[in-house]
């Protein structure tokens, strides 16, 4: 059984991280920290001049129409800007030995690999149509989001390649019926067999 109190669950938007992180946290009797909440807190406490990457999407709403590859570059910039905050949250939980599941799009495999006492896994969905379907199920009022799904797939491919290079496990998001067990195995959370 894993004795690390900090679990990092990364992956692109629309891959099912929330569908895995909440049952995983219940299994471990751990709270969840969502990277999106860290982003909101930092945006409330900083200005675009202080942290331009973090405020980019709010300051440039038209940027959603940029080419998908450029949007992915901006997502990577935001993830890199968040590294000190992720490190601080992890360090606090490690120091106090307080368990937590940290999940989000902006977790970087390189950060996960360099943090001692942490287990990490990245969910990956390589099917753009499946990501678009996931968005439609999650946000039906937004309608079809094929452009967003393309960005997510490209970013997810980049994250998966980075994770593999860093030696961080990558777990396919499907099939859904056993994804939680596959994530638990990748994190070495399954109890040893008798």
């Amino acid at each position: 059984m894993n004795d690390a109190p900090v679990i990092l669950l990364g992956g692109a938007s629309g891959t099912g991280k929330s569908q895995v992180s909440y049952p995983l946290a219940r299994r471990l009797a751990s709270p969840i920290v969502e990277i999106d909440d860290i982003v909101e807190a930092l945006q409330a406490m900083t200005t675009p001049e202080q942290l331009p990457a973090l405020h980019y999407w709010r300051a440039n709403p038209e940027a959603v129409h940029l080419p998908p590859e450029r949007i992915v570059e901006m997502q990577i910039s935001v993830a890199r800007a968040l590294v000190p905050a992720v490190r601080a949250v992890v360090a606090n939980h490690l120091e106090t030995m307080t368990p937590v599941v940290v999940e989000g799009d902006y977790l970087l495999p390189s950060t996960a690999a360099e943090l001692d006492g942490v287990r990490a896994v990245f969910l990956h969905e390589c099917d753009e149509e499946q990501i678009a379907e996931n968005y439609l199920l999650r946000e039906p009022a937004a309608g079809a989001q094929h452009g967003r799904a393309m960005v997510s797939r490209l970013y997810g491919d980049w994250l998966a390649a980075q994770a593999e290079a860093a030696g961080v496990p990558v777990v396919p998001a499907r099939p859904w019926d056993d994804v939680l067990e596959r994530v638990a195995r990748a994190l070495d959370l399954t109890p040893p067999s008798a």
Side-chain angles (χ1 to χ4, degrees), residues 12-13 19 24 30 32 37-39 42 46 61 93 99 106 109 117 120 123 128 134 139 148 164 169 172 184 191:
S13 174
Q19 297 298 318
L24 181 63
S30 296
I32 290 182
D37 290 337
I38 295 173
V39 170
L42 288 172
T46 63
H93 282 271
Y106 294 125
L123 272 186
E128 228 168 89
N134 295 349
E139 303 160 7
R148 185 177 174 202
E164 288 172 6

Side-chain angles (χ1 to χ4, degrees), residues 75-87:
Q75 286 181 304
I76 294 167
S77 294
V78 172
R80 288 182 174 144
L82 285 167
V83 168
V86 171
R87 284 185 182 142

Side-chain angles (χ1 to χ4, degrees), residues 70-126:
R70 180 70 181 117
I71 294 173
V72 170
E73 289 173 10
M74 289 310 305
Q75 286 181 304
I76 294 167
S77 294
V78 172
R80 288 182 174 144
L82 285 167
V83 168
V86 171
R87 284 185 182 142
V89 168
V90 168
N92 179 59
H93 282 271
L94 289 173
E95 183 178 319
T96 61
M97 290 303 292
T98 308
V100 68
V101 174
V102 181
E103 73 95 353
D105 309 359
Y106 294 125
L107 285 173
L108 290 177
S110 56
T111 304
E114 71 187 24
L115 296 169
D116 291 331
V118 171
R119 299 281 175 115
V121 66
F122 280 75
L123 272 186
H124 184 50
E125 175 58 68
C126 58

